[in-house]
Amino acid sequence: METLTHAPVLARFGYAVSDTTRAQVLLALAEASAYPSDLAESIGVSRQSMSNHLTCLRGCGLVVAVPDGRRIRYELADARLGHAIKDLLGVVLAVDPACCAPDGTCLA
C-alpha cells in the first residue's frame, strides 16, 4: 500500500466524485456503513456496477470493506471523509455555463 497526503489525496477524491454513482455511494456511506446490495438498490444500479464502483473507491483508499459474518459491509476509510463530504454539501458555486456543463463536465 502507498500512503498519500495533500494534493494526491484531493486528486483521488476528485476522481472518485467525478462519477455520479461513486459520489452517491460516498454520500450514503457518510451517513452510515452499508452492504453493497443495499447501496445498489438505494442508488438504482446493478450489483455488478456497484461492485465495480466499490472496487474503485477501495482502490482510491476512500472506503474499506469490513467483514460482517458471511457478508462484507463498506464504510468510509476515515471518519474525516464523512465530515468533509458534509461540509462540501454546504458550498455554493457560481458556475459559468459557457465553461461548465450541468453535469460538471468542463467545456473549455
Side-chain angles (χ1 to χ4, degrees):
M1 285 290 176
E2 180 181 358
T3 302
L4 302 176
T5 61
H6 305 288
V9 170
L10 288 177
R12 295 285 174 116
F13 185 77
Y15 176 77
V17 297
S18 69
D19 178 88
T20 304
T21 300
R22 288 192 302 267
Q24 289 176 305
V25 169
L26 290 172
L27 286 168
L29 295 178
E31 294 300 322
S33 63
Y35 298 104
S37 58
D38 296 336
L39 287 167
E41 185 177 324
S42 68
I43 293 172
V45 298
S46 70
R47 289 182 182 196
Q48 180 60 47
S49 176
M50 181 55 61
S51 176
N52 293 340
H53 287 294
L54 288 168
T55 298
C56 174
L57 292 170
R58 195 173 59 240
C60 286
L62 299 174
V63 303
V64 292
V66 179
D68 188 11
R70 295 176 60 183
R71 299 177 73 189
I72 299 291
R73 180 175 36 83
Y74 282 83
E75 60 188 42
L76 295 177
D78 188 316
R80 291 175 289 188
L81 283 170
H83 296 292
I85 290 166
K86 290 174 183 174
D87 286 346
L88 283 171
L89 292 177
V91 172
V92 177
L93 301 175
V95 179
D96 180 352
C99 294
C100 190
D103 68 356
T105 306
C106 290
L107 302 174

